[in-house]
Every structure is written in C-alpha cells, then in structure tokens.
Amino acid sequence: MTIHNLYIFSKNGTLLYYTEWSRLNKSGITKEEEAKLMYGMLFSIKSFVSKISPLDPNEGFLYFKTSKYTLHYFETPSGLKFVLNTDNISQNARELLQQLYREVYLEYVVKNPLCQLNEPIQSELFKLKVDELFKKSPLYLSRTI
Amino acid sequence: MRQQVIDTKMNSHTAGEADECLFEYLHTEMVNYTLSKASNKKEKEEELSRLEWMGFSVGYRIIERLTRDCSRFKDELDMIKFICTDFWSSLYHKQIDNLRTNHHGVYMLQDNSFRLLNKVGTNCNKQYLQESPRLLAFTCGLLRGSLANLGIISTVNAEISTLPSCKFHVQVQQM
C-alpha cells in the first residue's frame, strides 16, 4: 500500500500545503499551476455530484478511483479541503484525513499564534507532524513489508 | 455559597476542550492587537510592556483565589514553590520543570514545554524563535503580578533558547 501525495486547499482555493511521499509521474507544470488545475477539477466534480445525484447528496463527493490510484477527498464545514492520493487497495484513507485535520491542522496551525490562516503554511513543526502522522499510519507502513 | 460552587467547577482540570483553547485564542488576539498598534520597532517594545501590564493585573487578581485554601507561606522560597507547582498547574496544566535560585533573590523557573509555545516549534529548527518572545510578555506580567500580591516586588524576564522550552528569571527587589 502506498500514499502518493497530499494537498490542502483553503476555502477560496489557495494551496495551503503540498507534500509528496512517492510520486513517480511528475506533472511537468509548476506546483501553482498544478494546484489550480486540481482545485478546478475538484470544484467541478463537487458541483457535478450535487447536480447529478438522484438522491439527496449527504456528504457529496468522497473519492474517485482510476486503474492506478485513488483520490480521497475530505472537506470540512469551514470549506477546508484535504486531498490524498493513494493506491487502490488502501482503505480508511478518509479517517486518516480526518485525523490529520483534528490532530495536526487544528493543533499546529490554528493554535499557533504565529501562523496566518488562509495563507500557505510555513510552520516547520506542522510539516514534521504531518510526516510523522502519515509515516506511522498503516497505509504507509505496510508498503515496506 | 453558590458562587463558590461554580468557582470550583471551573477550577477542575477535567473541564472541556473549549474553555482551554479559549484562553489560547484570546491570548493570541491580545498579542496581535497590541502589536498592531505599534508601527515601528521601537514602539513594539513599549507595546509588549502593555501586554505585560495586563498580565500583572490578571496575576494580581488570580492569586487571591488560588491561595484561598492555603495557609500562610513561611518565606519567599515557599511562595516561589507555590508558583511553580499549584499556580502553574492550574494555569498551564503542568508544573515548572526546573527551579533554581542563588538564595539572594534571583530565581530561574524553567518550563521545558511551555503551553503557549509548544504548538509553535520544536528544538529541531530555529523557525519563529525571533517572534516568540512576544508570546511570553503576558506570562511575565502574570508572575510579577502574583508575586506582588504575595508581597514580593520583583522584575521578571523571559528567555527562549530552543522552542518550546523557556526560562523565566525572577529578580526580587531587596527592600
């Protein structure tokens, strides 16, 4: 099982944080362009899902899957968006994203007086904690076995 | 009588998450507010003294309630010990990690994981080291105010070498 990369977007679509662990295919465009492209796609999928759903879409868009990877999407009520790419057999990635939000973002960004919200996250401690959380998660660990 | 019941309830450490972070967020905004009123660098130092003064008033009042059930203190060291244990744990949920003194009115209180700093950085990097002193001004005042109400006139400075640990130097003014 593999975790590829992670995006965090603010509610207005600013890329707050990006990191990657194992990404074999580079997009060939700058990180900023890629983030815009990604956000645009997510935005479209969200409105697509809410319009096309035959039933009341409770949570809306949760994930999509290609032949090679799965994109997991988690949005908070405040509009913060967490996007994680994993391989297809990884499970519970959504819980991992919720945990990231609860235990890392809230603690080390919101509670850090020196961090500006809605701006790219600079805090080294935050980066450290994100890495720690993902490396100790079973999704990441089982890759080496 | 009724007031007392409410008071002890709020004092318990098992209280919910919300009231805990309320202080942290309010503190953040106090720091931002005082800094936003300063335009140049020289003024900034003066602005921190305003924050320190707020801490002083809070500390002065808070000690009244915290010592409600205590007997009188023997001497100065006894008071400082009270600050390191009961006072600190009721405000920051932990005790001071290290207390040193030269027995001539100089005390050094060290907290290895100060609550207002431990979300900011770790010892692995030097980020935010410049900005962190502003997060300590209020607590310096808090210490000075509570000691003042116990009858000790002092000056309190803070020092950070690696986050999230910090040292408070208390210098007692001899009468």
Side-chain angles (χ1 to χ4, degrees):
Chain A
M1 290 196 256
T2 318
I3 292 176
H4 297 299
N5 53 1
L6 167 80
Y7 300 81
I8 303 177
F9 292 100
S10 75
K11 67 163 153 270
N12 357 335
T14 328
L15 180 67
L16 296 181
Y17 187 62
Y18 173 76
T19 186
E20 59 186 43
W21 288 275
S22 94
R23 180 176 180 174
L24 301 171
N25 183 32
K26 303 283 179 224
S27 58
I29 50 177
T30 64
K31 207 171 83 179
E32 289 75 23
E33 278 181 277
E34 188 189 290
K36 272 184 204 158
L37 214 57
M38 174 61 95
Y39 188 78
M41 181 193 68
L42 294 171
F43 190 82
S44 311
I45 292 180
K46 244 179 76 181
S47 62
F48 171 77
V49 165
S50 69
K51 284 198 180 73
I52 222 74
S53 168
L55 303 167
D56 177 33
N58 283 331
E59 285 205 81
F61 170 49
L62 298 175
Y63 67 93
F64 74 69
K65 201 178 247 190
T66 73
S67 58
K68 297 276 188 204
Y69 74 97
T70 306
L71 179 144
H72 304 267
Y73 178 77
F74 169 62
E75 186 176 333
T76 67
S78 60
L80 211 63
K81 296 158 185 76
F82 295 84
V83 180
L84 185 71
N85 286 315
T86 66
D87 61 0
N88 285 335
I89 45 172
S90 296
Q91 286 176 342
N92 296 334
R94 202 176 162 70
E95 268 166 44
L96 187 65
L97 286 180
Q98 279 170 339
Q99 200 183 357
L100 171 73
Y101 171 58
R102 264 200 324 268
E103 291 170 18
V104 184
Y105 182 82
L106 279 182
E107 291 297 316
Y108 298 99
V109 177
V110 180
K111 284 193 184 173
N112 181 347
L114 304 172
C115 264
Q116 295 298 319
L117 298 181
N118 296 324
E119 274 177 31
I121 299 162
Q122 305 294 341
S123 167
E124 296 289 337
L125 184 61
F126 173 77
K127 294 174 188 174
L128 201 77
K129 292 286 174 186
V130 171
D131 212 46
E132 237 170 53
L133 177 75
F134 279 89
K135 284 191 172 157
K136 77 168 201 277
S137 96
L139 300 189
Y140 191 93
L141 276 181
S142 44
R143 184 168 66 114
T144 48
I145 296 167
Chain B
M1 192 62 206
R2 183 144 178 245
Q3 185 60 40
Q4 274 200 342
V5 173
I6 296 168
D7 252 4
T8 39
K9 221 179 203 172
M10 280 167 69
N11 203 17
S12 72
H13 295 180
T14 50
E17 161 92 344
D19 50 345
E20 235 181 73
C21 55
L22 200 57
F23 164 67
E24 287 173 26
Y25 297 143
L26 185 62
H27 178 259
T28 303
E29 288 315 310
M30 271 163 23
V31 173
N32 287 343
Y33 174 72
T34 45
L35 283 180
S36 71
K37 300 192 81 180
S39 46
N40 57 46
K41 197 159 189 287
K42 181 148 185 348
E43 267 182 58
K44 265 185 187 156
E45 277 170 26
E46 284 171 50
E47 290 303 327
L48 279 184
S49 71
R50 176 179 299 191
L51 204 58
E52 206 260 356
W53 176 245
M54 286 186 201
F56 181 89
S57 321
V58 172
Y60 200 90
R61 283 158 193 267
I62 233 168
I63 205 76
E64 292 286 0
R65 211 174 63 74
L66 285 179
T67 53
R68 195 175 53 192
D69 305 324
C70 290
S71 51
R72 267 188 289 165
F73 297 111
K74 275 204 310 283
D75 53 6
E76 204 175 273
L77 188 64
D78 223 26
M79 295 174 190
I80 299 278
K81 275 184 189 159
F82 172 79
I83 295 281
C84 290
T85 53
D86 296 35
F87 178 82
W88 214 256
S89 53
S90 64
L91 292 178
Y92 298 114
H93 302 310
K94 72 189 282 292
Q95 298 190 351
I96 283 283
D97 293 301
N98 195 353
L99 167 68
R100 285 184 196 181
T101 174
N102 67 352
H103 295 289
H104 286 97
V106 179
Y107 300 89
M108 194 276 291
L109 286 67
Q110 184 176 340
D111 191 336
N112 292 332
S113 174
F114 186 50
R115 182 162 137 215
L116 297 175
L117 294 176
N118 64 11
K119 303 289 162 58
V120 175
T122 56
N123 50 12
C124 325
N125 53 64
K126 295 233 177 287
Q127 195 191 20
Y128 296 132
L129 210 54
Q130 290 260 305
E131 292 91 340
S132 319
R134 68 177 77 150
L135 301 175
L136 297 178
F138 181 80
T139 307
C140 284
L142 209 60
L143 279 171
R144 197 167 66 88
S146 34
L147 288 172
N149 203 359
L150 292 174
I152 303 176
I153 306 303
S154 59
T155 50
V156 180
N157 293 311
E159 176 195 330
I160 311 172
S161 45
T162 53
L163 292 167
S165 87
C166 63
K167 293 174 187 165
F168 296 95
H169 298 280
V170 179
Q171 180 132 31
V172 177
Q173 270 166 26
Q174 309 289 355
M175 295 287 183

